[in-house]
Amino acid sequence: MKYFIVSDIHSNLEALESVLDEKDSHHSDSQLVCLGDIVGYGPSPNECIEMIFERTEHTFLGNHDSAVTGSTSSERFNSYAREAIQWTREHISRENLSKLRSMHLGRHFDDFLAVHASPSDPRSWIYITSIYAAYKEFKAVDDRVIFIGHTHIPAVFSMNNEVEMTLQDSVDLDRDKRYIINAGSVGQPRNGDPRACCAVFDTEKMEVMYIKKEYDIDKTAKKIRDAGLPGFLSDRLKRGV
Ligand code: ZN
């Protein structure tokens, strides 16, 4: 089985289209899974929600999705994120809002757990950014392979006797180890590489491969500015931060 795993699309339609083109042309046999944050930051919330829901039932709730519906407070968000949440609330259709409301926090697939932020407590939106944070998660749950998003950094944490982290573009999973795998961000990468990022998990080969795709960043950046969203949100796309 092959899974095509996208996360943190953040209303960036051009980035989403570019990774789904890649799926259609090179991974058409894969199952699409979305780890959440379809909306927030970007200018195309309705188009992104519709595109994801058309193509998969496996889409899970992110903190921005939850904030738009009002079930997570945006108080802890930075001012740019908060402004974008407010903008999204004003522009999302009623139908798409109810799609966001229908999303669950995660799901156990045969070969892995899928969740937006942290497996130990998905609703607290913990950021797994360090080896220590990953270690605490490995201790708290017993899933062998866990896919997450949320930090926008494509990274693989592995645990045997100790926890290690790698930023390699492809990783062969070792049967003796456990893994927390961050799929990276389609619509707002923060690893210094502005290309749209997602992951393919081949459960037969036990291999994870990252896909990094160029897209028309200038077009998205202009849409952000034209929408009246904070200019910083368009500038950061070009730098991948
Ligand atoms: Zn996000």
Side-chain angles (χ1 to χ4, degrees), residues 195-237:
R195 290 175 298 173
C197 178
C198 63
V200 176
F201 179 29
D202 185 324
T203 62
E204 257 149 54
K205 292 190 199 156
M206 284 307 269
E207 178 195 67
V208 173
M209 197 180 72
Y210 285 104
I211 287 169
K212 293 175 180 167
K213 280 277 287 179
E214 311 237 347
Y215 70 96
D216 192 346
I217 295 182
D218 289 335
K219 184 173 176 186
T220 312
K222 183 175 184 306
K223 278 164 74 175
I224 289 174
R225 287 192 304 272
D226 291 350
L229 284 158
F232 170 70
L233 297 177
S234 74
D235 299 340
R236 72 186 301 176
L237 291 184

Side-chain angles (χ1 to χ4, degrees), residues 99-111:
K99 285 188 186 127
L100 293 186
R101 288 211 171 99
S102 74
M103 284 158 79
H104 297 288
L105 283 166
R107 186 192 144 165
H108 288 273
F109 290 81
D110 285 345
D111 303 283

Side-chain angles (χ1 to χ4, degrees), residues 144 159-160 171-179 206:
R144 198 169 91 69
M159 170 141 155
N160 195 339
V171 178
D172 289 316
L173 304 192
D174 187 329
R175 305 230 169 240
D176 299 330
K177 292 185 179 174
R178 296 171 62 204
Y179 291 90
M206 284 307 269

Side-chain angles (χ1 to χ4, degrees), residues 8-240:
D8 296 274
I9 294 148
H10 287 299
S11 299
N12 184 336
L13 179 63
E14 292 70 31
L16 179 60
E17 283 174 337
S18 86
V19 298
L20 292 181
D21 276 354
E22 181 76 10
K23 180 183 184 312
D24 293 342
S25 34
H26 299 294
H27 304 279
S28 56
D29 55 341
S30 63
Q31 163 93 61
L32 182 65
V33 174
C34 172
L35 302 177
D37 276 2
I38 301 176
V39 299
Y41 297 125
S44 309
N46 291 306
E47 296 89 333
C48 290
I49 293 169
E50 284 154 19
M51 194 168 283
I52 287 291
F53 274 81
E54 237 164 59
R55 299 185 54 141
T56 185
E57 57 183 305
H58 304 308
T59 178
F60 307 109
L61 188 74
N63 51 322
H64 287 253
D65 307 319
S66 183
V68 166
T69 69
S71 67
T72 287
S73 160
S74 56
E75 244 167 58
R76 277 162 56 200
F77 287 30
N78 66 48
S79 60
Y80 305 111
R82 234 180 299 131
E83 209 175 307
I85 293 294
Q86 189 51 41
W87 182 94
T88 304
R89 283 183 186 145
E90 288 160 14
H91 290 83
I92 193 170
S93 72
R94 195 174 294 192
E95 206 183 354
N96 287 330
L97 187 63
S98 64
K99 285 188 186 127
L100 293 186
R101 288 211 171 99
S102 74
M103 284 158 79
H104 297 288
L105 283 166
R107 186 192 144 165
H108 288 273
F109 290 81
D110 285 345
D111 303 283
F112 64 99
L113 168 69
V115 67
H116 181 68
S118 77
S120 65
D121 186 5
R123 203 168 252 297
S124 65
W125 315 116
I126 293 165
Y127 289 89
I128 305 174
T129 50
S130 66
I131 283 176
Y132 180 61
Y135 172 78
K136 286 200 292 186
E137 297 296 325
F138 280 122
K139 284 285 172 198
V141 299
D142 50 20
D143 302 87
R144 198 169 91 69
V145 178
I146 300 157
F147 274 88
I148 59 167
H150 197 40
T151 67
H152 301 203
I153 310 280
V156 176
F157 296 94
S158 62
M159 170 141 155
N160 195 339
N161 294 322
E162 54 186 22
V163 178
E164 290 173 356
M165 188 189 85
T166 175
L167 300 169
Q168 286 166 5
D169 272 347
S170 111
V171 178
D172 289 316
L173 304 192
D174 187 329
R175 305 230 169 240
D176 299 330
K177 292 185 179 174
R178 296 171 62 204
Y179 291 90
I180 295 175
I181 300 158
N182 193 309
S185 170
V186 170
Q188 196 197 78
R190 294 180 191 157
N191 56 325
D193 182 340
R195 290 175 298 173
C197 178
C198 63
V200 176
F201 179 29
D202 185 324
T203 62
E204 257 149 54
K205 292 190 199 156
M206 284 307 269
E207 178 195 67
V208 173
M209 197 180 72
Y210 285 104
I211 287 169
K212 293 175 180 167
K213 280 277 287 179
E214 311 237 347
Y215 70 96
D216 192 346
I217 295 182
D218 289 335
K219 184 173 176 186
T220 312
K222 183 175 184 306
K223 278 164 74 175
I224 289 174
R225 287 192 304 272
D226 291 350
L229 284 158
F232 170 70
L233 297 177
S234 74
D235 299 340
R236 72 186 301 176
L237 291 184
K238 297 172 191 172
R239 292 181 286 129

